[in-house]
Amino acid sequence: MNGLEEGVEFLPVMNAEKLEKRGPKRWVVVLAVLSVCFIFSLLVGFLVWHFKYRNASVQKLYNGHLRLTGSRFIDAYENSTSSEFAILARKVKKTLTDIYKNNPNVGPFHKETVISAFSEGSIIAYYWSEFSVPKYKVDALDKALANIQASNQATIHRGRNPDLKVESVVAFPSDPDIVKASRDNSCRYALHAKAGEVTSFTTPGFPNSPYSSNAHCMWALRADADSVISLTFTTFEVEPCDLGNDFVKVYDSLSPGEPHELVRLCGSYTPSYNLTFISSKNVLLVMLSTDAKGRYPGFKAEFFQMPKQQLCGGVLLGTSGNFTTPYYPGHYPPSIDCKWDIEVPKHKNVKVRFNEFFLVEEGLQLSSCPKDYVEVNSVKYCGSRDRFVVKSQTNKITVRFHSDRSLVDTGFWAEYLSYDSGDPCPGKFTCQTGRCIEKKLRCDGWLDCSDGSDEKGCNCTETQFRCHNGWCKSNFWVCDGVNDCGDNSDEQQCNCPAGNFKCSNGKCIPESQKCNGKDDCGDGSDEGKCDSVVTVPCQGHTYKCRNALCVSKTNPECDGVQDCSDNSDEDNCNCGKRLFVKKSRIVGGEQAEVGEWPWQVSLHAKDEDNGHLCGASLISETWLVSAAHCFQQQNFVRYYDPKLWTAFLGLHDQRELSDSKVQRRNVKRIIAHPSFNDYTYDYDIAVLELDNPVSFTKEIQPVCLPDASHEFPAGKEIWVTGWGATQETGSGASILQKAKIRVINQTMCNSLLDNQMTPRMMCVGVLTGGIDACQGDSGGPLTSIEENDRMFLAGVVSWGDGCARRNKPGVYTRVTQLRNWIKEKTGV
Ligand code: ARG
């Protein structure tokens, strides 16, 4: 026991201390472990970065073309399923692969190459190549491929044939989506132009069924060597550009590379929009790419081949003449240069007037014109420009035109004219810009020269106000809220004292009362345009939501912003939109385009004339708005009888009443305003019910009706349309006409028109005369373009003192005043 006891070593009391002393050692261990962990994770992190990110491979796609010389093109090469195609493709592919292999920045990353097409010209081979390359090597690969064309010339041994030489290898980085599309063989077409024939093609299913979603279709168009292709889209209707991502691209190549893209099209184009494109060589590629949603009809196109010739530029002699970019008004071809040397008789000077000018490249700004341009007197012009004149101080001038290889437009048409340097505009006034205008336009109070030089240095008459800039303006325009002088001097002395806000009615209120939710002006103008829309007490000029609350904003209906708490201001907004988005740029005179005024109706009466008598506007599938005076008994003809009338909708040309786009309806009911006064023309409004609803199409759409509170301020530009007489004593137009006019201040108009104005009337016109509605336009729409390009019916053509006379604006029924009556009668 003892021995045992001896053997037992009792822990001294101090041991407690010893135990404690072990603590710090453990910390060291923990620390060590932690550091190891840290270093380890750092290492792992690095390795992950190295292998996963730094070394992470990215897919890169290039597409390009190369030329083969030493052999003849055979037709079978156009068919990618032929054995000849396969044999040649294999060889070209092998050569390309070899070229890649010889370059250390390319070879190791090459995954796949596909030869997609051949075209004639010795032989052009189109291909795409796929690479899988670590991120940090991408730049080197880009560079290597950009230079590959210069450094390589290879020879293909082609069986018994003479050696095939590979030249000019070109590669562009390309969009994987597009290459994926070219891989998709389900929607590919190869078409070869037939000599002397026009070949047409359409999107699959056109026009009976819409194109499919997620489609990638390609049409390879070819022509014989030494010809070029002219391609025209005769109908074009794909998803609107802002609604999705469906588009058509045309390439001046058979491979869809951005550098050869001629155009990107989306939306729908009016039939008169010129969609003709010319290739620079004998191929074009058309691609349709669609997204998951939105199904539209698609397009119909036709193409033909024509001999390639340099048909631009040259020497132009004589005293005057015309010249245009090649194929104008079609799109000019890419990659061309033209030079016109113009020379007029010795003792004369020469000027060039560009009447139409479109060299627009999307997203490009105009100052330096780095791409397509026109150059005259060492100044470059590009973009889209209004008519302009360039003069020479001698009898010679040179005009150059350059188009680069991508993105084309319709170009220009220009005139050259010789003139006497002493008298540049014989019998006319010369603007400082060089333009000649009629002498009577000088000092008439209106700007006719774009720089206003026709209104400089004039003596103002006593009925005119002298602007600070020297222009003379009718006294009527002073203090009407519209800046007529251009420098605002006609509105200045009517300004309120500093710190005040000027109401539309002329009243001055302290600035602090603006946008305070209270109508301090009395006409609401201090609350109409505020950052925040507030609910205000309802008054005549405020907009009333369905929940009977009124909002402060002016014209809140259908402006795309919810202003009423119940959103009723954005209800029933399926109106006032044009469905053709792209308008033609070149229209004769003031002819309307198809689909431009889809609410315009032509009313034909079965009287002795049996033709167009009045206009009207479509406001729903069954209701029209027109003028009451069209439906009064006259010379024993009972125009108030609905059976007498036929309504034509979707009509463009009166000679084409049976066009397939036209819908013809009988009139079931005519309700003229009971207060219509056939002496004063007060309350000149009527609504007509159709016997059957029309169906809305691109050519037939309803116009929006403005709320009773809607404002069309003086000075606002508005459009009037109709088939009425084009001159006071003239006859009606067969093609729908349009004219842009301005709202005229009511007080002033009343004095111009011998106090014949009532609150149900509004004056709209151009006081210089020359632009107006006329006989036969009655009942037709006065269309105002508001927020978001939505169009509202501001007025109905009613009467005038003659047509287009100076200081005799046209008079229109004020729709806002009769809005509630329309609602009551039609429910619209
Ligand atoms: N009352 C005419 C008609 O029946 C319309 C006159 C419009 N005149 C004018 N100058 N704006 O067609």
Side-chain angles (χ1 to χ4, degrees):
M1 276 284 278
N2 217 0
L4 194 91
E5 282 184 347
E6 268 174 22
V8 178
E9 195 198 333
F10 286 97
L11 287 172
V13 188
M14 283 158 62
N15 254 8
E17 228 181 36
K18 249 191 194 166
L19 268 175
E20 271 179 354
K21 270 190 188 157
R22 259 190 219 147
K25 261 191 202 150
R26 205 181 261 172
W27 278 114
V28 171
V29 172
V30 169
L31 209 71
V33 168
L34 275 180
S35 341
V36 168
C37 283
F38 178 71
I39 290 172
F40 181 73
S41 49
L42 217 62
L43 199 75
V44 170
F46 173 77
L47 290 177
V48 166
W49 171 76
H50 181 77
F51 286 104
K52 177 142 188 197
Y53 293 104
R54 182 174 127 94
N55 245 352
S57 290
V58 283
Q59 301 297 105
K60 287 283 286 182
L61 284 153
Y62 290 80
N63 82 57
H65 54 83
L66 51 84
R67 177 192 290 275
L68 305 170
T69 52
S71 181
R72 238 173 18 83
F73 188 85
I74 55 172
D75 289 348
Y77 292 154
E78 291 187 7
N79 175 2
S80 59
T81 56
S82 71
S83 56
E84 290 87 346
F85 182 101
I87 293 167
L88 186 57
R90 206 174 310 127
K91 289 184 169 144
V92 175
K93 183 171 161 180
K94 171 86 173 53
T95 316
L96 263 177
T97 315
D98 289 344
I99 294 174
Y100 293 156
K101 268 195 196 134
N102 286 336
N103 190 321
N105 285 322
V106 181
F109 315 115
H110 179 224
K111 280 186 62 188
E112 193 189 4
T113 285
V114 172
I115 308 300
S116 51
F118 293 108
S119 73
E120 196 169 355
S122 4
I123 301 173
I124 311 281
Y126 302 86
Y127 68 90
W128 54 267
S129 296
E130 187 179 353
F131 297 86
S132 172
V133 55
K135 254 197 181 140
Y136 71 104
K137 286 273 206 178
V138 168
D139 284 349
L141 175 70
D142 276 339
K143 265 202 207 101
L145 284 174
N147 291 325
I148 209 155
Q149 67 236 54
S151 57
N152 272 288
Q153 290 243 336
T155 305
I156 307 177
H157 298 284
R158 197 174 161 273
R160 283 169 283 116
N161 286 353
D163 287 348
L164 263 182
K165 268 217 168 106
V166 173
E167 290 182 356
S168 36
V169 182
V170 181
F172 317 106
S174 64
D175 181 351
D177 282 347
I178 289 177
V179 178
K180 221 181 286 150
S182 29
R183 223 169 180 168
D184 173 4
N185 279 331
S186 63
C187 191
R188 306 200 93 224
Y189 307 89
L191 300 167
H192 197 117
K194 295 184 199 72
E197 257 182 58
V198 175
T199 309
S200 36
F201 60 100
T202 66
T203 44
F206 185 90
N208 303 319
S209 53
Y211 54 72
S212 44
S213 44
N214 294 318
H216 294 286
C217 294
M218 299 229 195
W219 291 262
L221 312 182
R222 292 180 173 86
D224 300 343
D226 301 318
S227 1
V228 294
I229 296 176
S230 166
L231 164 73
T232 303
F233 293 93
T234 50
T235 316
F236 193 94
E237 210 183 324
V238 313
E239 187 179 23
C241 313
D242 52 348
L243 288 189
N245 202 26
D246 295 357
F247 61 85
V248 168
K249 282 186 177 183
V250 179
Y251 297 93
D252 187 38
S253 166
L254 285 185
S255 62
E258 196 196 320
H260 292 291
E261 179 185 323
L262 293 188
V263 74
R264 180 185 195 276
L265 303 168
C266 46
S268 56
Y269 287 75
T270 58
S272 52
Y273 196 103
N274 190 301
L275 285 173
T276 296
F277 299 89
I278 314 289
S279 63
S280 68
K281 293 180 262 46
N282 60 338
V283 292
L284 276 181
L285 180 70
V286 178
M287 182 179 78
L288 165 75
S289 170
T290 69
D291 58 14
K293 57 171 180 27
R295 286 149 50 90
Y296 289 80
F299 67 72
K300 179 172 198 283
E302 48 189 45
F303 76 103
F304 58 88
Q305 65 179 34
M306 50 192 185
K308 181 179 180 144
Q309 43 186 217
Q310 190 60 21
L311 29 52
C312 72
V315 179
L316 304 176
L317 301 170
T319 54
S320 66
N322 281 320
F323 60 106
T324 67
T325 40
Y327 306 104
Y328 182 88
H331 291 65
Y332 51 76
S335 308
I336 67 163
D337 280 280
C338 312
K339 177 167 162 260
W340 293 269
D341 288 308
I342 301 166
E343 189 175 336
V344 298
K346 266 210 183 65
H347 49 280
K348 299 269 192 179
N349 286 3
V350 59
K351 62 183 172 188
V352 176
R353 183 164 73 207
F354 291 89
N355 292 309
E356 303 281 358
F357 191 97
F358 296 104
L359 272 68
V360 180
E361 296 199 17
E362 220 68 49
L364 197 69
Q365 251 348 286
L366 311 171
S367 45
S368 65
C369 300
K371 291 166 75 58
D372 302 352
Y373 61 82
V374 166
E375 189 179 331
V376 201
N377 291 344
S378 27
V379 179
K380 283 184 180 168
Y381 302 89
C382 57
S384 136
R385 299 178 65 102
D386 286 338
R387 171 196 273 225
F388 67 105
V389 177
V390 186
K391 287 201 266 186
S392 156
Q393 301 306 326
T394 68
N395 67 330
K396 289 182 190 161
I397 198 164
T398 297
V399 178
R400 283 169 220 275
F401 168 67
H402 169 77
S403 77
D404 67 358
R405 67 182 175 187
S406 67
L407 299 183
V408 293
D409 205 339
T410 51
F412 68 77
W413 87 267
E415 287 169 277
Y416 65 94
L417 306 151
S418 61
Y419 68 96
D420 250 319
S421 51
D423 180 16
C425 295
K428 293 191 166 180
F429 173 78
T430 314
C431 298
Q432 258 148 43
T433 57
R435 197 176 144 198
C436 304
I437 58 163
E438 293 301 324
K439 269 222 169 86
K440 65 165 201 263
L441 299 178
R442 163 108 177 106
C443 293
D444 68 348
W446 303 92
L447 296 196
D448 300 289
C449 300
S450 57
D451 61 350
S453 48
D454 57 320
E455 296 299 318
K456 281 191 188 128
C458 302
N459 293 322
C460 303
T461 64
E462 74 249 35
T463 61
Q464 286 179 323
F465 167 80
R466 188 172 188 86
C467 302
H468 289 178
N469 58 18
W471 298 346
C472 303
K473 289 280 168 186
S474 164
N475 280 332
F476 286 125
W477 298 131
V478 176
C479 297
D480 67 346
V482 181
N483 173 6
D484 298 286
C485 285
D487 60 3
N488 208 34
S489 51
D490 56 321
E491 297 300 313
Q492 244 148 39
Q493 66 277 38
C494 13
N495 275 356
C496 299
N500 276 256
F501 170 79
K502 185 162 173 258
C503 307
S504 299
N505 57 14
K507 193 174 154 189
C508 299
I509 58 162
E511 194 75 50
S512 58
Q513 293 182 353
K514 201 182 154 210
C515 295
N516 64 353
K518 238 179 87 219
D519 174 20
D520 301 286
C521 286
D523 63 355
S525 55
D526 55 326
E527 302 299 325
K529 291 190 178 64
C530 305
D531 288 342
S532 60
V533 178
V534 291
T535 307
V536 293
C538 294
Q539 287 186 353
H541 49 74
T542 46
Y543 180 84
K544 196 176 201 164
C545 307
R546 196 171 306 121
N547 57 17
L549 297 176
C550 286
V551 291
S552 58
K553 191 188 210 174
T554 340
N555 305 349
E557 333 93 275
C558 304
D559 66 348
V561 180
Q562 172 178 350
D563 301 299
C564 293
S565 48
D566 60 359
N567 203 25
S568 52
D569 56 317
E570 298 297 318
D571 268 1
N572 303 323
C573 290
N574 230 333
C575 59
K577 280 285 189 183
R578 289 177 181 146
L579 301 191
F580 287 105
V581 216
K582 306 289 169 58
K583 291 205 291 159
S584 163
R585 289 149 155 194
I586 302 146
V587 192
E590 281 293 12
Q591 280 182 6
E593 287 193 60
V594 171
E596 196 179 359
W597 312 100
W599 34 87
Q600 173 82 52
V601 181
S602 168
L603 295 176
H604 285 218
K606 301 179 191 94
D607 61 354
E608 65 271 26
D609 278 350
N610 218 352
H612 171 89
L613 218 57
C614 272
S617 310
L618 185 67
I619 58 165
S620 76
E621 283 152 327
T622 46
W623 286 99
L624 312 181
V625 170
S626 186
H629 82 254
C630 291
F631 311 103
Q632 306 300 312
Q633 172 147 349
Q634 244 181 57
N635 311 327
F636 308 108
V637 186
R638 294 149 62 170
Y639 290 106
Y640 54 80
D641 180 0
K643 287 200 277 305
L644 206 69
W645 294 91
T646 312
F648 290 88
L649 295 103
L651 183 66
H652 179 61
D653 187 336
Q654 291 287 347
R655 294 165 298 195
E656 286 166 19
L657 297 175
S658 31
D659 188 285
S660 62
K661 289 172 177 135
V662 174
Q663 295 180 31
R664 174 198 295 240
R665 291 290 179 277
N666 293 321
V667 177
K668 183 154 106 191
R669 195 147 54 116
I670 297 174
I671 312 173
H673 199 287
S675 311
F676 171 66
N677 178 324
D678 68 356
Y679 181 70
T680 61
Y681 272 38
D682 202 2
Y683 294 93
D684 191 9
I685 196 159
V687 289
L688 282 71
E689 191 181 1
L690 303 175
D691 65 340
N692 274 306
V694 291
S695 27
F696 294 153
T697 62
K698 287 232 295 296
E699 292 79 15
I700 302 178
Q701 289 288 317
V703 68
C704 297
L705 286 170
D707 183 70
S709 68
H710 202 105
E711 281 177 21
F712 299 101
K716 184 168 178 37
E717 288 183 336
I718 299 199
W719 290 88
V720 59
T721 47
W723 287 274
T726 46
Q727 267 173 27
E728 195 173 313
T729 52
S731 54
S734 57
I735 296 202
L736 182 64
Q737 305 285 306
K738 62 177 177 187
K740 189 163 74 180
I741 48 186
R742 288 216 286 170
V743 179
I744 288 160
N745 172 304
Q746 190 84 356
T747 328
M748 157 170 191
C749 189
N750 204 24
S751 63
L752 287 175
L753 296 177
D754 309 321
N755 297 316
Q756 298 183 73
M757 300 291 289
T758 72
R760 272 70 54 191
M761 300 176 187
M762 83 198 263
C763 272
V764 193
V766 174
L767 294 186
T768 39
I771 307 177
D772 195 5
C774 203
Q775 287 357 292
D777 290 323
S778 277
L782 189 62
T783 307
S784 169
I785 308 183
E786 306 275 300
E787 215 54 47
N788 294 329
D789 287 334
R790 202 179 282 284
M791 324 237 179
F792 284 78
L793 185 69
V796 175
V797 179
S798 179
W799 61 275
D801 185 346
C803 296
R805 297 187 188 167
R806 231 176 153 77
N807 288 326
K808 296 292 174 194
V811 181
Y812 298 80
T813 316
R814 209 179 260 281
V815 171
T816 51
Q817 286 285 320
L818 299 156
R819 177 66 185 96
N820 298 335
W821 180 80
I822 299 176
K823 173 97 196 172
E824 183 193 312
K825 296 298 167 198
T826 66
V828 182

